[in-house]
């Protein structure tokens, strides 16, 4: 039961941040900071008996954030800085549950967004240049990978 706490933190903050991003096309710094702080505190508390899991989660969080920062720079504004900041607590959570799948979480995020964008373009609801809130897809990609990992380890 203890091991579900980080997942609950992810779902609570991820859902709230996704809703805001869908409505306003932004991920508020303060809420992302709270997500990061609470998730980090939760993982520290859960890893008091062994620090190795926490180190791995932190490495995944830094790696995930670095990938999103590179993509932010290369995209010339198509990816927002809020997405880069949101990558850290998501990477922290993926690193806790499924560190070996951290790149799959990123790939899943882009795949989900791509499929939805293609459907939107085909249905003429959006154009190629329409802005898309990416935070919800980051959340869904991370959640998908964690669910896959947790269910496959049963």
């Amino acid at each position: 039961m203890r091991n579900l706490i980080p997942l609950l933190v992810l779902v609570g903050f991820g859902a709230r941040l996704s809703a805001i991003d869908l409505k306003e096309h932004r991920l508020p710094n303060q809420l992302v900071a709270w997500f990061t702080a609470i998730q980090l505190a939760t993982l520290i508390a859960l890893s008091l008996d062994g620090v190795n899991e926490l180190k791995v989660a932190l490495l995944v969080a830094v790696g995930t954030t670095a990938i999103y920062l590179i993509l932010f720079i290369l995209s010339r504004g198509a990816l927002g800085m809020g997405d880069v900041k949101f990558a850290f607590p998501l990477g922290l959570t993926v690193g806790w549950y499924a560190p070996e799948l951290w790149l799959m979480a990123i790939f899943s995020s882009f795949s989900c967004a791509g499929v939805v964008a293609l459907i939107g373009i085909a249905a003429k609801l959006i154009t190629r240049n329409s802005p898309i809130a990416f935070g919800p897809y980051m959340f869904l990609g991370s959640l998908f990978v964690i669910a896959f990992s947790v269910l496959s380890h049963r």
Side-chain angles (χ1 to χ4, degrees):
M1 185 62 161
R2 273 181 37 186
N3 207 22
L4 289 179
I5 297 170
L7 186 58
L8 294 174
V9 172
L10 168 70
V11 169
F13 279 100
R16 179 73 178 123
L17 284 160
S18 293
I20 292 169
D21 199 14
L22 284 169
K23 184 178 178 184
E24 303 176 14
H25 285 267
R26 68 183 194 91
L27 293 162
N29 288 337
Q30 191 172 11
L31 198 53
V32 173
W34 274 108
F35 178 22
T36 303
I38 290 171
Q39 194 68 293
L40 192 55
T42 301
L43 298 183
I44 289 169
L46 290 174
S47 66
L48 290 177
D49 52 345
V51 181
N52 195 36
E53 287 176 310
L54 181 61
K55 286 180 187 176
V56 170
L58 284 167
L59 283 173
V60 170
V62 169
T64 302
T65 306
I67 296 286
Y68 275 98
L69 181 59
I70 291 167
L71 293 171
F72 168 76
I73 293 166
L74 294 176
S75 74
R76 298 184 185 145
L79 192 69
M81 195 61 195
D83 299 320
V84 176
K85 295 171 194 171
F86 191 35
F88 190 85
L90 291 175
L92 198 59
T93 312
V94 169
W96 181 258
Y97 287 104
E100 69 283 358
L101 298 175
W102 71 282
L103 287 173
M104 184 57 75
I106 296 170
F107 178 77
S108 297
S109 301
F110 281 95
S111 296
C112 289
V115 167
V116 170
L118 287 174
I119 292 169
I121 290 170
K124 299 187 187 225
L125 298 172
I126 61 172
T127 67
R128 274 188 40 204
N129 298 325
S130 296
I132 295 174
F134 192 60
Y137 303 106
M138 294 172 68
F139 169 58
L140 287 175
S142 299
L143 196 58
F144 169 75
V145 165
I146 291 168
F148 175 79
S149 178
V150 169
L151 293 174
S152 66
H153 285 103
R154 285 188 149 219

